[in-house]
Amino acid sequence: MSKKRRRETSAVDTQLVEIYEDLANVEEEIRLKAAQSLLLKIAPEASLASGQLHEILRRLIRGLCSGRKAARLGFSVALTEFLTQLLSPNASHPPPFPISEVVAVLKKETHIGGNVSGQEERDHYFGRLFGAETVIKSGILFHDRNGFQCWSQVLDLILKLAKKKLWLREECGWILHCAIQSVGRGGYDSKFVQQIIDKAQENGIIKTPEGIALWIVTSLEFPQVKLPQGIWLNENPMHRKEKAKLAAILKETSSTSLNHNGSDSTFFQNGVWTPKLHFAWDVVIGRVFGMQPLKSSEDLDLLSFWDECVDSRYNVGLLMLPRSFILGNLFTDSSSNERKYWGFLLFQRALRDVPAPYFYIIFSNNLMRCLTNQLASPERYLHRLAEKSTRSILQRAKGDASVTLPALECLLTPPKGQINFDQATKTKTVDKLLSLVKNSSLRDLVVVFRKLILRPGTQDLKAAAFRRQFLADQLVNVIRLRLSNDKITSTSSDVSKGFQDILSLFANLAYFTRTQDHDNAERSEDPQISTSSQDMFKSRISSCLTQLVSRSFSPAFFAHHVVYKIHSWEKLGEPCNSSVDAYDATGKILRKAWKVLKRIHLKDQSSDLKNKPILLAFKLLFSLAILEVYNFDVDAVSILEEVRYCYCTLVEHKKNTQGGSDVLVEIILSFVAKPSLLFRRLGQQVFSACVSDIDEGGLQSMIKVRNGFIVLMTNETISGQQEMFDRVDDTDGDDKSSDEEEINAINYTAIDMSAKEDSNSGEDSAEGSDSKESSSSEIRDDEQESDAELVAFDAKLAQALGTRSIENDKAANSDDEFTDGDMNDEQMDALDEQLEKVFRERKKAMSKKSQKKDAKETIVNFKCRVLELLEIFIQHQHTSIIALDLLVPILTTVQSTTSTLVSTKACGLIKTYTKVCKRKNLCDAEETDPIFKILEKVHNLATKDGSNAYTSSCSQASLLLVKVLVAQDRENLRRVLLIYSKTQERALLDPQCRVKISFFSDWLNWCSSFVKTTR
């Protein structure tokens, strides 16, 4: 029996096995380390035999055919370095095998033989493609004498593969495109490029997107290469007359045309759609952008290219265009989602390099419509791609500020764009672009918005008004955003000039009407700006000035700029006609005011620092008072006269100051009484500047009004409102008020309420919380009052109908049956009269309730404004003896008001007074008797019933007066002790005295502290 011969096993290089394994690893770092280990393995010092190197070559090429992990990436890198190290002319040793052997091994190992699966077939095709690319990248074909012959063989491998498998054609074309660039960078012979063009022509690749890319790169880098004749006009695919053929090839639409030599030429689709752009588009777009501006009339410009290849600027549905043109457009209604996908990719690609002057071209009509529709709903197929397109716009704007304004104009300008683009697309693209506008471009931005406001792209008046309001709000947001980041420090800064242009635009639109100018349509409006839109622009001026008064270097600068522009336009009369009719009496007052304002402006330019604040205050007063005259405010003319009187009294004629302070305070109070945040800040600014000129009479004007009525003690009722503002009671008229009067009252209430909410928007959070607490208690009272009114109304209604009320109906026996007979006409008429009377009384009661609520809010708002002015006075003039006279009215306000908000503000004012009055900041009084009288009044107020906060404020005010008295003379402490002892005696013996123990504990604590500091 014969024995089996043992199988001989060859030695296995385990190190190479590990290297091959690591070359297929998904981690790039591991693959690169494996390639480096392989190079060390084949180094000359290793002295490997030719057969071993040949086996490594074969194994590396076989690895390219593997679809395992990242094998193709790792083996291609290793093969490139392997060929470069062994066969390059810089190698230290002669090559172990010729270059032709490399090509032969590539052909053999990537050849498909026998019956193989589809996956294995694709792996071998990819292996051949990667292998050919590796051989070209290594550069070994450009140095060897037999390299050109091998070059031809490699090209045959690539082009035959491209012709056989259409889904590989783009990759094959990309390899050839890179090969041409490698020849150019290396400075090699142009015959290599000539061979590529000839082979591409032979294999029918020249009339494909890949062929266009090869043609363009060859003509740019190798003009000496002979290109095929008769393919393109003048051998230029970018010729203006070749745009239709160029578009058909790039978009791979089936079409037939005649070559310039008379033969038919047919271009077929690839057959496979890919979610990425063909690299030929990038080459063509780069070429188109590189030719802008055009150097030759024959070249294809950007506009023609975009119209033909991407999206027409015309509405194809309204034109009799060829069917091939309509099918080729990527953004028509009939275009598939796949073609729109390509269109968005082309748009994103163009955004990277399109010059700013040509930005409007790529924002074509159909593209903008498709972009808006896709952004509007996340359920759209291309929603995410559309979002990426908007991010591309913002990314380009961040890197290049010059395209920000063109992008905004394209997105907002009808009919391509939409003025409310952000609202329609539910994005913040326009807001973000506005934030990217440079300060130096603000004036150009105003020019763009002016065009849009004058011509909003619609003839519907309501739609035009809405669009104009939206644009105005955008400009207001521009001011608000800039002010939140920086503070204006100069009139000549770019920000300041931009703000001036915005205010000038609003003023021109609000106070003037433009005549139709057919010769210059951009200066005329279409449609005409309505009265409501003019009022809206006036309110936007107020909003802008509200922001600028408190945050600019000069509070009066921008307000003066507005009225100055209005005045200058009135003088010119062209091209606008003023919408303000200056009557004779008003005109005289305005002329006088303008003269005074001009003098103030001249003094402001050259005045010293001491006098400048009061000049700026009056400059602001005059500017806003004049603006109110143009707004047809009923009190504006009288206020303007009073402002002029105050200025002449307090500034120009300082010797005669009697009455000037009183009138100034009256003017400031009239401004802060308006439900506007702008006038509230105006009053504070002016009062702060003129606070040093406020005398005792002016201070009393803040507390008392006509007939000696105390402001801070005004009842928060309708009668209190009438007494404070001299209003006539309109509630005693005819009971049968019409429905129209009721509707007007309701509208007035709504407007008044919204304005008050606007004026209170800047309050502190603490004040807001106090307001909520007070409003919650008031709401509960209103609910109880409403319930009682409903019960009374139900009773009257039941009496009129002859039925039981709801309460009586519940108490009635459920077994009782209600019967009614048919009513005759007389009974029906009588019932109608009774019902009409009941509902009329109900309507009157509801109107009364609304008026009470409005009156209370008006009084509370005015008291808060007065307290804010008093706080400014105390902070600046706390060392003045007249400031002590404010303590009693403030404490009386805390004790008498029904509003928690007013009480909190008044208590805070007392606390602020005590804080600013330190040892060295106490007032210096010549006589102490008035101070003792104030102290006695404070103690008298402390004995009245009140909250803990009220008692604490009384105690703080009392101790403040004690500090002032002791600072004058320590002996005054004896009289102070007597006053405190009398108050304590009343607390013990008088049952009507409601003083709290904390009032005396605060006094004892102060005494203890005083003893410690004086000893």
Side-chain angles (χ1 to χ4, degrees), residues 72 112 121-130 157-176 205 210 252 270 272 274 276 278-279:
R72 291 193 183 95
I112 302 174
E121 181 182 8
R122 286 191 293 272
D123 288 340
H124 279 75
Y125 285 147
F126 278 120
R128 175 166 291 191
L129 191 64
F130 272 81
L157 290 176
I158 297 174
L159 291 171
K160 287 180 180 180
L161 190 59
K163 191 174 182 181
K164 186 176 182 180
K165 295 296 180 183
L166 293 180
W167 49 274
L168 282 177
R169 192 179 69 188
E170 182 180 351
E171 296 299 328
C172 295
W174 173 251
I175 292 174
L176 297 178
I205 305 297
E210 296 78 17
E252 300 179 282
N270 191 344
V272 178
T274 57
K276 67 182 184 67
H278 196 289
F279 78 92

Side-chain angles (χ1 to χ4, degrees), residues 190 194 218 221-226:
S190 61
Q194 185 69 60
T218 301
E221 299 195 17
F222 296 93
Q224 68 275 21
V225 171
K226 295 181 180 180

Side-chain angles (χ1 to χ4, degrees), residues 37 64 585 655 727 804:
S37 301
L64 296 176
K655 295 181 180 179
R727 294 183 179 176
R804 288 190 297 266

Side-chain angles (χ1 to χ4, degrees), residues 96-116:
F97 41 78
I99 297 177
S100 58
E101 183 69 19
V102 176
V103 179
V105 173
L106 176 61
K107 290 181 179 180
K108 179 181 178 182
E109 296 299 329
T110 59
H111 176 70
I112 302 174
N115 188 14
V116 297

Side-chain angles (χ1 to χ4, degrees), residues 858-883:
T858 301
I859 298 296
V860 168
N861 181 67
F862 186 70
K863 285 183 177 181
C864 290
R865 303 293 83 82
V866 172
L867 290 173
E868 289 172 357
L869 295 178
L870 292 178
E871 183 177 4
I872 294 174
F873 181 85
I874 287 174
Q875 288 178 344
H876 290 81
Q877 298 294 319
H878 55 271
T879 57
S880 175
I881 189 64
I882 61 175

Side-chain angles (χ1 to χ4, degrees), residues 602-621:
L602 294 175
K603 290 181 180 180
D604 176 32
Q605 304 298 322
S606 59
S607 63
D608 55 356
L609 295 178
K610 293 182 179 179
N611 197 30
K612 196 162 188 175
I614 193 169
L615 286 176
L616 291 177
F618 274 101
K619 187 176 181 180
L620 181 60
L621 264 179

